[in-house]
Amino acid sequence: MDRAFQRTRILTNHLLLSTPAQTACLTSNDCFNYSPPELSENYAFDVNEMRKLMDGHDVEERDRLFGLIIQSRLFNPRVRGGKVFVSPDYNQSMEQQREMTWKRIEYLLERGVFKGWMTGEGEDVEMKRFACFEVLGLFDHSISIKLGVHFFLWGGAIQFFGTKHHHDKWLRDTENYKVKGCFSMTELGHGSNVRGIETVTTYDSKTGEFVINTPCESAQKYWIGGAAKHATHTIVFSQLNINGNNEGVHALIAQIRDADGNVCPNIRIADCGHKIGLNGVDNGRIWFDNVRVPRENLLNSVADVSPDGKYLSSIKDPDQRFAAFLSPLTAGRVNIAVNAVYQSKVGLSIAIRYALTRRAFSLKPNEPEVLLLDYPSHQRRLLPLLAKIYAMSFGANYLKMLYVKRTPQSNKTIHVVSSSFKATITWSNMQILQECREACGGQGLKTENRVGHLKAEHDVQSTFEGDNNILMQQVSKALFAEYMAAQKRNKVFKGLGLEHMNKPCPVIPSQLTSTTLRCSQFQMDALCLRERELLNRFVADVSQYLAKGESKEQAFNMSYQVAEDLGKAFSDRAIFQTFVEAEATLASGSLKDVLGMVRSLYALNCLEDITYLRYGFLSVDNGVAVSREITKLCTELRPHALGLVSSFGIPDSFLSPIAFNWVDANSWSSVQH
């Protein structure tokens, strides 16, 4: 009621200011003059140190790549409001956007950006590659996807599935773009259900060749990035049929174009057409009509076929074999999750900088209008999202390190965490970009201001490399399996961060004070409580359906709501854990103090989730206390808002005109120019 009264008073004062007598007194001095937020906003902490903590690695390499992009005309520099901005020209046709994407890749190739990406070894090489993808994604999603398909999917499949002769033959040519690769897994009739794909490969022992066929229209390869225009080769996923036995999904290398760009015999390729975003990527459809490839083109680290046609594999369990064939998707999911974090950083940087200079309504007659970010409602819209993306930055850094330090024993953990984080972070990215778009008002609709268009460009992240809803179900099933295994062995929980299940169940106090709500141990306990109770509930629900005679899959399907909530609870707790660990690396001081407030805001934002009330983890009164504390934290973080977005380390050129002098950017002189 108080907020409604305040808004009514503001509107009344605004109308009173519009009386004829006062209007007549207006002079040119009453016009709005842009003032950079840096003139009035002070940094209470070292933004460079915060950036190092956030980026986590390869800061110098990132800045070098930022420089390469800014200095080239290929990246569409334009002057607005006295500043140079770079972003793709989305007014170009689909064909033009694709051509520009390829020219930019050639530019980067000539300058050695991809050196060692396929032939180098070690954690440093992989982390540097991640850093470059993050920078390129800040410029354009199309270029990062186009590169991701070539290096992470095509190249990654050869690295993971292939053996030495594949590595020797293909990796250097991939790094140098002598071959342009794509990844043919998805079909018209099968996306997430990879196991059900319909493309069929048989073996001809007389010629020592595999024969690939598209047996029906639903088996056509679909959404294959690079296939419509540029790719010369592809990894084909198909059902391998040997001597009448279906051995399951396997991967082979097939050439689809010659060196001159002509489509190879017995292959048909069509364009997927215009999309709501990512039009710089040439997605295509592929049909195979008795396409013959040499026996050596089977990627055979998991299974092989002898010259006389015998199927050979050291992995006898078909389920385990199939799981091994999905490993390249893990790298893709890591990349997608990290890329989504950086898109949210762009949106928040633009929206918060705009809110620090844009004014609306006066509280009293003859007073200046109020900055958008000085309204509690605007703080409540943006600052919890800012805290969320800080948390997800630390989560993404943890995920990258988990991936580059991978071992055969850690594959399951990487799959679960990457699936969970990919879903959570990309969903959050869509939420954040939408809120930032609305927070920028009408300016958010302009393509040049980036935020609205970023939504369309990144919408696909929720469904490619695994539909988010299905990924979350996989997470819950993995947690279910861990629970059942611990019970069966009568041993403690170990792995996936579930060790908290071995401790007594946390208890939330009946009355939550501000001190308690800001305590990191309480925050962790509250997140662990939700995960613990939902896992117990999920196991109980599935077990109940099984006892009624339902199949295991049907029991999981019937428990979908709890499964979805459990997946989110796992992700929130795991991400919060990475935040606490990052915070613990800091010495006492202003940087740690501000980060502590950000951590509390993230944790309490998680506690405001509907599941805490739905399942009774929080009382209504405690839910109100959480919401009030969030509002207080937003007020306390308001003076640090500029410092927190400046710590993202994104050059001005990668933001947009409304993040800076939006008055000059929209002046009549800019129209004439």
Side-chain angles (χ1 to χ4, degrees), residues 68-241:
L68 283 176
I69 292 171
I70 292 169
Q71 72 189 27
S72 171
R73 300 295 301 174
L74 282 172
F75 292 86
N76 193 36
R78 66 200 186 287
V79 178
R80 302 285 278 113
K83 277 186 173 290
V84 176
F85 297 97
V86 291
S87 68
D89 182 359
Y90 295 113
N91 289 318
Q92 289 182 324
S93 68
M94 181 177 72
E95 290 74 17
Q96 289 172 320
Q97 289 185 54
R98 291 173 174 181
E99 199 53 41
M100 286 306 301
T101 299
W102 178 243
K103 286 181 179 179
R104 289 164 184 146
I105 289 173
E106 287 182 317
Y107 168 83
L108 298 169
L109 177 65
E110 290 167 2
R111 281 149 187 81
V113 171
F114 312 134
K115 186 177 181 180
W117 278 26
M118 288 282 96
T119 57
E121 295 181 356
E123 294 175 13
D124 290 347
V125 171
E126 293 198 73
M127 293 302 281
K128 178 182 174 183
R129 188 168 61 185
F130 276 127
C132 290
F133 266 93
E134 289 155 27
V135 169
L136 292 168
L138 286 173
F139 171 75
D140 178 30
H141 197 202
S142 286
I143 194 171
S144 65
I145 293 300
K146 185 92 167 169
L147 291 170
V149 168
H150 178 73
F151 286 107
F152 278 100
L153 294 182
W154 155 267
I158 293 171
Q159 285 181 321
F160 287 115
F161 299 160
T163 48
K164 186 178 184 303
H165 76 274
H166 297 113
H167 300 164
D168 293 344
K169 181 175 181 179
W170 298 103
L171 291 183
R172 186 167 299 280
D173 284 352
T174 296
E175 183 174 294
N176 296 331
Y177 268 97
K178 290 183 179 178
V179 298
K180 305 179 186 75
C182 62
F183 190 79
S184 296
M185 178 179 279
T186 300
E187 296 177 356
L188 177 62
H190 290 86
S192 296
N193 181 15
V194 176
R195 207 162 194 166
I197 61 175
E198 298 172 288
T199 302
V200 175
T201 295
T202 55
Y203 180 67
D204 184 346
S205 58
K206 294 177 182 177
T207 61
E209 295 172 314
F210 289 104
V211 185
I212 309 170
N213 271 290
T214 302
C216 53
E217 287 297 347
S218 59
Q220 63 181 274
K221 295 299 181 181
Y222 213 98
W223 291 124
I224 310 307
K229 186 174 178 65
H230 294 126
T232 59
H233 294 73
T234 191
I235 304 292
V236 184
F237 285 82
S238 65
Q239 304 289 350
L240 182 60
N241 195 308

Side-chain angles (χ1 to χ4, degrees), residues 26 51 169 227 253 267 281 295 402 444 456 528 617 645 653 663:
L26 289 175
R51 183 200 173 184
K169 181 175 181 179
I253 296 173
I267 286 176
V281 177
R295 187 180 69 87
L402 186 66
C528 287
F617 304 143
V645 295
S653 297
V663 176

Side-chain angles (χ1 to χ4, degrees), residues 400-445:
K400 285 184 285 187
M401 289 306 300
L402 186 66
Y403 177 77
V404 301
K405 293 179 179 293
R406 61 193 176 275
T407 64
Q409 293 73 33
S410 67
N411 280 341
K412 180 177 69 175
T413 299
I414 295 171
H415 171 70
V416 174
V417 175
S418 66
S419 297
S420 167
F421 283 19
K422 184 265 184 183
T424 300
I425 294 173
T426 56
W427 270 332
S428 295
N429 185 38
M430 286 293 98
Q431 175 204 9
I432 289 169
L433 291 175
Q434 178 63 29
E435 195 63 58
C436 290
R437 207 297 295 157
E438 293 181 25
C440 293
Q443 291 294 330
L445 290 176

